[in-house]
Amino acid sequence: MTERVAIVGAGLTGALLATMLGQRGYEVAVYERRPDPRQAGAERGRSINLAISTRGLTALQQVGLEEDVLARGLLMRGRMIHAATGKKEFQPYSADGERGIHSISRGELNAVLLDAAEKLPGVSLHFEHRLTALDIDASTMSFAGHDGPVDVNASAIIGADGAFSVVRRAMQGRVGFDFSQDYLSHSYKELHIPPIDGDYALDPGALHIWPRGASMMIALPNLDKSFTATLFWPRTGPGSFEEIVTPEQARRYFDDNYPDVSEIMPDLEEDYRLNPVGALLTERCSPWNAGRVALIGDAAHAICPFYGQGANAGFEDCIELIAQLELHAGNWEPALEAYSRIRKPQGDAIADLALHNFIEMRDSVNSLSYRALHSAELFLNRALGDRYKTRYEMVSFSTIPYAAIEPTVRRQRTVAGVATAVGLAGLAYLGFAARRR
């Protein structure tokens, strides 16, 4: 008998999982509360560009979509740091300067994944279906569809419905389910940097950062030769969205704090007035499964975007869920329990890494000590290869479990510190011996 799987949410993770299951012969129905994004388009100011890296590409390769996605992206080999003085400094992501992350539009990637899922004979997509009820024990759901109520029974239900997941809300009523939600003191707003004379206004081979201590702006390139810029400002206080309200205030603030980019943003006032302010939050929950129901992607572990790992982590969830399903011979309950147990620590770890990287991006990249450490670690990586990996390399250019990264960083730095101390002691001894002679 063909298994019928219901996926709630047709975003990036839900669409990829539908493709993976459909390719394995499962009958999959995907339900999404919004209209088809391929027709409706992205909501204004909500398109935060994605940075797809090794983890995401590994998942896309498994479904034969890696090349299609790469063709729609732009390779960024490092960070371009813009100081308040206008001075720029390029910091490569890898020791060889060749590896990088790929900037791609969320809408473009979602369209590729939905097209791939829809082509499979066992996969059906149902847009404008809002989940209204979920019976976890019976694995049944009710939706408000555009033609009336829809009742669904499935062998398994996967909640891929984002940070404000309705599936997770149903699970929260069960004894033993833990959930936490932490809002960052900062919010975000998107802006636009258009092409100049038909070409990029900034270097398209870099992720651009304007670090300003308590806040920052970033910009990622698009194929149409524009950039999507994102402000990460405090919600309240000096230099905050609460303080800078009008488009005129925004222009003056940019002239003072982002002078090199203010002059190439002719639509700044309009973007600032019309684009919404978005919240930044971290969500954790446990367990990610209940019977034949499970959470995946942002529904299980919404994180801040400062490592560009939200989509990558969700895609890695898909790999693990499929692996456990195959390991357990299609038996959903033990497969989902194992998936939850394995991936939960990884979701917590990347959430912590993302928050750490926010501090690094908005402040530390400007400091002499950070630049010295960054250069030293790249040197050690060139000299020692895989025996010394930077934190960024492990997050973005490997599939090392997220939870193993910080222990590895601490161990490497301890060994490097001891080696440095021994080397310095040896030099001191040789100098002392030479003086005695």
Side-chain angles (χ1 to χ4, degrees), residues 46-57:
R46 299 290 193 195
S47 63
I48 291 184
N49 280 44
L50 301 169
I52 297 296
S53 52
T54 297
R55 296 170 198 272
L57 293 174

Side-chain angles (χ1 to χ4, degrees), residues 289-408:
N289 68 298
R292 288 177 289 148
V293 179
L295 303 171
I296 199 165
D298 284 355
H301 53 81
I303 63 175
C304 292
F306 304 116
Y307 240 124
Q309 287 295 301
N312 292 286
F315 287 1
E316 212 171 44
D317 290 345
C318 294
I319 292 175
E320 189 62 50
L321 193 155
I322 293 296
Q324 292 304 318
L325 189 59
E326 293 178 343
L327 188 63
H328 290 84
N331 192 338
W332 281 99
E333 287 201 33
L336 294 179
E337 191 281 328
Y339 150 77
S340 171
R341 174 172 41 79
I342 292 168
R343 287 301 294 170
K344 161 66 177 169
Q346 311 312 320
D348 288 343
I350 189 54
D352 293 336
L353 285 162
L355 293 171
H356 172 275
N357 206 43
F358 177 45
I359 298 170
E360 182 173 300
M361 291 172 72
R362 79 182 193 205
D363 192 12
S364 302
V365 290
N366 269 333
S367 71
L368 289 173
S369 60
Y370 172 84
R371 293 202 293 270
L373 177 61
H374 180 71
S375 297
E377 291 199 314
L378 289 180
F379 170 78
L380 288 170
N381 181 236
R382 281 193 296 269
L384 301 175
D386 287 343
R387 287 173 292 171
Y388 194 102
K389 292 177 177 285
T390 66
R391 181 189 285 111
Y392 194 94
E393 184 177 26
M394 285 186 279
V395 171
S396 298
F397 306 139
S398 83
T399 55
I400 294 171
Y402 290 124
I405 291 174
E406 277 307 301
T408 302

Side-chain angles (χ1 to χ4, degrees), residues 217-235:
M217 181 173 74
I218 67 171
L220 280 74
N222 300 308
L223 286 179
D224 66 1
K225 300 189 184 300
S226 70
F227 280 81
T228 299
T230 308
L231 296 174
F232 296 102
W233 285 359
R235 288 197 300 273

Side-chain angles (χ1 to χ4, degrees), residues 17 42 52 102 105 147 156 159 164 181 188 208 222 310 321:
L17 183 61
I52 297 296
H102 301 266
S105 155
D147 294 325
F164 301 101
Q181 178 175 280
Y188 76 89
H208 295 260
N222 300 308
L321 193 155

